[in-house]
Amino acid sequence: NMSHELRTPLNSLLILSRGLADNEDNNLNADEVESATVIHESGSNLLRLINDILDLSKVESGKMELSLEEMDLAGFAGTLTRNFRHVARERGLEFSMELEPGLPASIETDSGKLEQIANNLLSNALKFTRQGSVRVHIGRALASTGREGDIAIRVIDTGVGIPKDKFEKVFQAFEQADGSTSRHFGGTGLGLSIARGMAQMLGGDIRLESAEGVGTTFSLLLPERHGLPRIGSAPVHAAIASPAPAAEIMPKPAKTPPPAIDLPDDRHSLKPGDTVILIVEDDPAFARILIDLVRRKGYRALFAGDGESGLTLATEFRPTGILLDVMLPGMDGFSVIERLKATHATRHIPVHFISATEDHSRGFDLGAVGFLTKPVTREALGAAFDRLLHFAEGSLRQVLVVDDDAASRLAVRKLVGGKNVQITEAAGGAEALEKLHQQSFDCVILDLGMPEMNGFEFLERAATLPAVPPVVVYSGRDLSPEETLKLRQYTDSIVIKGARSPERLLDEVSLFLHSIREAPAAPLREVDTTLSGRIVLVVDDDMRNIFALSKALRAKGLTVVMAQDGYKALKQLEDNRSIELVLMDIMMPGMDGYQTIGEIRKNPAHAKLPIIAVTAKAMRGDREKCIEAGANDYLSKPIDLDQLFSMLRVWLATR
């Protein structure tokens, strides 16, 4: 909430001042343009300070999250070189990057946090070095550091140096080696404090060696493998500080609904063929800016000041794309996109988030085509419009099909291809990697069993590319639990070829392409009186799984209620007493399925509510663990629908 309150006023200030500084209408004189430029630059500096303070706050309160992944060391070194070589050249300094031989190809860490730490150390080195050089050396930590064998990223400069009695002081918030009124170097003294906090979250630390007038070496020490448990490819939440005791947590006051925002839009002047952008935003100033930008591009604008109104407009007008805020009164943006993607009439509409929150991964998991954190630049907004139109219905999508069997490629081409979907084929992994280098794709459909390079090798190699499109694994082989878990590092979209697989493949690919085609009308089925009209709660943190499962359940006449994590599941049960059965995914971030089942069973009203646990692990002892947690039954992924419906009939018959 604090980030929202701090960044929202800056958002309008930066966009409008940049618009004045650009002086596109040539109606400002040179002094006025200069004034607008100064306002924009000052606002940008203020934003950087706010971001530092928010980062420090998150580190100190234990609210910063880690997203662990395999990070290529050579790629990381290349990124740092590209970002800082020209800065060193401009300042007349030598810059070099060294990688010791014998290092692992990759380490398990949060690449975003690691880059932020390295950027801070390098920025400081360049800032405090007037002549000489700045070097980066990536190798093994020495025994003298107490962490022998760890990866050590050393930033070595020939700058002013730091007195020994100030070594600890420079790591404290708002402190600098020279904090006097006559200091030569500016800054807030936050960077190193944040960097050390992040390093400790990553399982490492930062060490300092320095001598005045000689130079400084900061050594970032990191383990090869992070010590936290991983669940598939989901973000791992970590804290370096304990949360406040329950007694210290104040209850949230009830929110008073804000007054409705009424801004004029184009809903009464729409014509067939218009490009229409729906803006769902509760900040009137920023909403006016967005409406103006939409119209300047020659598009039509619709406006809603809250989530419920946004859903109504999306259903009525079917806009070309939606710009959506997260922190909205009443229904938040994440709930809005869940409803949009769960409704047949609106699930094809591309959604781009623009919000003061930073939960990018959740936005993308729910099916967003993009996520911008406020404040945003005019250029970023232009890119957001372009991305919406790219994913809008009617635009050409590129799909790469990787399969060594020509007949299988032909079948996929006929199933997925269409006037708006262009299929490119590759008969093997090496050919597919070459095509990924040559052009961008919106989705990859991958067979695992290829002779020259199997699908697992292809995914590992593809993961090192700068941009990897979503991957749907479409394979005829039976996967072991270990193979399924390995695949979950790259994708949760795994379709085993069989009688029902074509429809499911189309669903999975369509979710990535944001272009749901009408499926052929299914023959009328005999009504299943045991299931028809019954109400089931589906709890899963992956919107694609919810979509696929809900579709199958609704086809049997069931009413589906959805929740994307354990906390929302408890809220759904509290609000909807008519739920008759729960399908509970076990592997979820925050509160996992075992904990959620335990919380449900604490309520006497839900003591006899049937709960079927669903897990992708399928390891020995899982069923017993689920039953012990309070589940009535157990299913492993990928779900056999016949087995699922059989279980539903058994347990709903007891209600």
Side-chain angles (χ1 to χ4, degrees):
N1 286 343
M2 199 63 227
S3 66
H4 176 77
E5 297 300 330
L6 287 170
R7 287 174 173 152
T8 296
L10 268 179
N11 195 53
S12 302
L13 184 151
L14 289 175
I15 291 174
L16 294 175
S17 61
R18 176 58 187 273
L20 291 171
D22 289 344
N23 196 19
E24 292 174 355
D25 296 329
N26 293 315
N27 57 354
L28 301 181
N29 62 38
D31 286 342
E32 290 167 334
V33 169
E34 183 182 13
S35 297
T37 303
V38 170
I39 293 170
H40 185 268
E41 290 175 354
S42 300
S44 300
N45 290 335
L46 181 57
L47 171 61
R48 283 191 285 273
L49 296 178
I50 287 173
N51 286 338
D52 282 347
I53 292 169
L54 290 172
D55 280 344
L56 178 67
S57 172
K58 282 189 283 188
V59 168
E60 290 184 341
S61 65
K63 295 294 179 66
M64 186 167 275
E65 298 175 347
L66 292 183
S67 180
L68 298 180
E69 60 186 356
E70 290 295 323
M71 192 200 74
D72 178 57
L73 279 177
F76 170 71
T79 299
L80 291 183
T81 302
R82 285 192 299 274
N83 290 346
F84 288 96
R85 179 188 285 144
H86 71 282
V87 180
R89 189 182 299 122
E90 288 172 2
R91 299 188 180 187
L93 302 174
E94 293 180 22
F95 182 87
S96 62
M97 173 71 66
E98 306 162 10
L99 271 81
E100 269 183 19
L103 291 174
S106 64
I107 61 174
E108 182 192 52
T109 190
D110 184 320
S111 58
K113 301 289 187 299
L114 178 54
E115 280 193 24
Q116 187 172 343
I117 297 168
N119 287 345
N120 176 270
L121 296 180
L122 272 166
S123 296
N124 276 351
L126 292 164
K127 173 181 172 183
F128 291 104
T129 303
R130 289 172 171 163
Q131 58 184 6
S133 65
V134 173
R135 296 189 295 121
V136 181
H137 181 277
I138 303 178
R140 291 287 183 182
L142 305 175
S144 59
T145 65
R147 298 178 62 100
E148 186 176 9
D150 277 4
I151 302 297
I153 301 170
R154 299 182 181 88
V155 178
I156 307 154
D157 68 55
T158 58
V160 297
I162 300 171
K164 197 164 187 177
D165 62 339
K166 301 287 180 67
F167 277 17
E168 278 306 312
K169 183 177 180 181
V170 297
F171 287 107
Q172 296 172 12
F174 305 105
E175 293 283 0
Q176 290 183 300
D178 179 9
S180 67
T181 56
S182 59
R183 62 182 181 167
H184 294 285
F185 303 97
T188 58
L190 288 174
L192 286 175
S193 176
I194 296 168
R196 174 174 265 186
M198 287 183 174
Q200 291 169 350
M201 286 182 65
L202 295 175
D205 201 358
I206 296 178
R207 303 290 168 81
L208 168 61
E209 302 168 66
S210 186
E212 281 189 272
V214 177
T216 302
T217 299
F218 281 98
S219 299
L220 169 60
L221 309 176
L222 292 171
E224 276 190 47
R225 322 298 302 172
H226 195 278
L228 292 176
R230 296 180 69 188
I231 302 178
S233 58
V236 179
H237 300 272
I240 62 166
S242 301
E248 294 179 21
I249 299 175
M250 298 294 291
K252 289 185 180 179
K255 280 191 175 182
T256 304
I261 305 168
D262 185 20
L263 292 177
D265 61 14
D266 302 320
R267 70 185 70 187
H268 300 301
S269 57
L270 297 181
K271 299 174 185 175
D274 281 346
T275 297
V276 181
I277 305 295
L278 169 60
I279 296 157
V280 187
E281 169 65 59
D282 67 330
D283 176 17
F286 186 46
R288 287 189 187 94
I289 292 170
L290 291 177
I291 291 171
D292 181 57
L293 287 173
V294 167
R295 289 171 173 165
R296 280 173 177 253
K297 285 185 168 287
Y299 312 144
R300 298 289 190 174
L302 294 174
F303 168 72
D306 59 79
E308 290 85 351
S309 302
L311 283 172
T312 301
L313 288 176
T315 304
E316 181 180 353
F317 292 99
R318 314 283 174 84
T320 312
I322 299 174
L323 295 173
L324 178 63
D325 191 10
V326 172
M327 301 184 72
L328 296 168
M331 178 186 293
D332 68 17
F334 292 133
S335 301
V336 171
I337 193 173
E338 284 179 355
R339 293 274 295 275
L340 288 168
K341 297 303 177 187
T343 304
H344 183 81
T346 57
R347 65 190 185 210
H348 67 282
I349 302 173
V351 178
H352 199 300
F353 279 106
I354 303 178
S355 176
T357 66
E358 297 178 333
D359 204 347
H360 295 67
S361 58
R362 185 177 178 191
F364 287 118
D365 288 344
L366 289 170
V369 301
F371 199 114
L372 286 176
T373 300
K374 296 177 183 175
V376 295
T377 64
R378 288 167 65 89
E379 292 83 0
L381 285 176
F385 289 132
D386 293 341
R387 194 160 179 79
L388 281 179
L389 295 178
H390 170 75
F391 283 104
E393 276 193 307
S395 60
L396 186 64
R397 316 298 164 73
Q398 299 288 343
V399 176
L400 176 62
V401 179
V402 189
D403 196 319
D404 64 321
D405 184 76
S408 292
R409 295 199 303 271
L410 177 63
V412 172
R413 175 185 286 276
K414 288 184 175 294
L415 177 70
V416 177
K419 65 178 183 179
N420 296 326
V421 180
Q422 181 171 322
I423 304 292
T424 301
E425 298 181 17
E431 183 185 352
L433 287 172
E434 186 177 342
K435 292 186 183 297
L436 285 173
H437 276 290
Q438 293 170 350
Q439 72 175 96
S440 60
F441 291 91
D442 299 300
C443 181
V444 176
I445 301 174
L446 174 68
D447 182 38
L448 293 177
M450 297 179 291
E452 138 226 15
M453 178 194 297
N454 67 36
F456 294 98
E457 294 174 79
F458 169 80
L459 287 170
E460 288 172 3
R461 302 254 307 261
T464 64
L465 297 176
V468 184
V471 177
V472 177
V473 171
Y474 186 49
S475 178
R477 66 182 283 179
D478 290 325
L479 299 174
S480 68
E482 292 78 14
E483 288 175 325
T484 302
L485 284 175
K486 188 175 180 181
L487 282 176
R488 279 173 63 89
Q489 296 179 42
Y490 307 101
T491 178
D492 280 326
S493 298
I494 304 171
V495 182
I496 304 301
K497 294 175 182 175
R500 300 182 190 87
S501 62
E503 183 181 354
R504 189 162 162 238
L505 174 65
L506 186 59
D507 286 341
E508 293 286 344
V509 174
S510 296
L511 274 175
F512 288 129
L513 298 182
H514 299 267
S515 175
I516 305 294
R517 299 188 322 178
E518 292 289 343
L524 290 173
R525 297 187 181 92
E526 184 179 342
V527 176
D528 190 328
T529 54
T530 314
L531 301 179
S532 183
R534 311 302 290 269
I535 302 174
V536 175
L537 171 62
V538 178
V539 188
D540 196 312
D541 67 316
D542 191 316
M543 198 60 198
R544 296 166 298 187
N545 293 340
I546 288 182
F547 169 68
L549 193 53
S550 299
K551 184 174 180 180
L553 295 172
R554 290 192 180 106
K556 288 287 184 181
L558 289 143
T559 298
V560 180
V561 179
M562 295 176 286
Q564 215 185 353
D565 57 44
Y567 303 103
K568 289 182 179 176
L570 297 175
K571 184 71 167 58
Q572 288 282 25
L573 287 170
E574 181 184 334
D575 295 344
N576 194 340
R577 299 286 180 174
S578 57
I579 291 172
E580 301 174 81
L581 183 142
V582 179
L583 283 172
M584 177 70 67
D585 186 36
I586 293 299
M587 300 171 72
M588 297 185 295
M591 181 190 292
D592 66 18
Y594 299 123
Q595 296 169 305
T596 307
I597 293 170
E599 291 298 316
I600 291 173
R601 292 305 187 208
K602 287 180 183 178
N603 187 337
H606 303 317
K608 295 184 178 180
L609 177 69
I611 301 175
I612 299 175
V614 181
T615 178
K617 288 177 68 177
M619 304 295 280
R620 188 186 302 275
D622 272 4
R623 187 179 192 283
E624 291 73 18
K625 191 173 178 181
C626 291
I627 302 301
E628 185 181 337
N632 299 88
D633 219 325
Y634 167 92
L635 268 175
S636 62
K637 292 180 181 178
I639 291 174
D640 182 309
L641 289 179
D642 291 332
Q643 184 182 5
L644 170 63
F645 293 138
S646 175
M647 278 189 188
L648 291 177
R649 291 186 189 97
V650 169
W651 290 109
L652 287 173
T654 66
R655 298 288 288 172

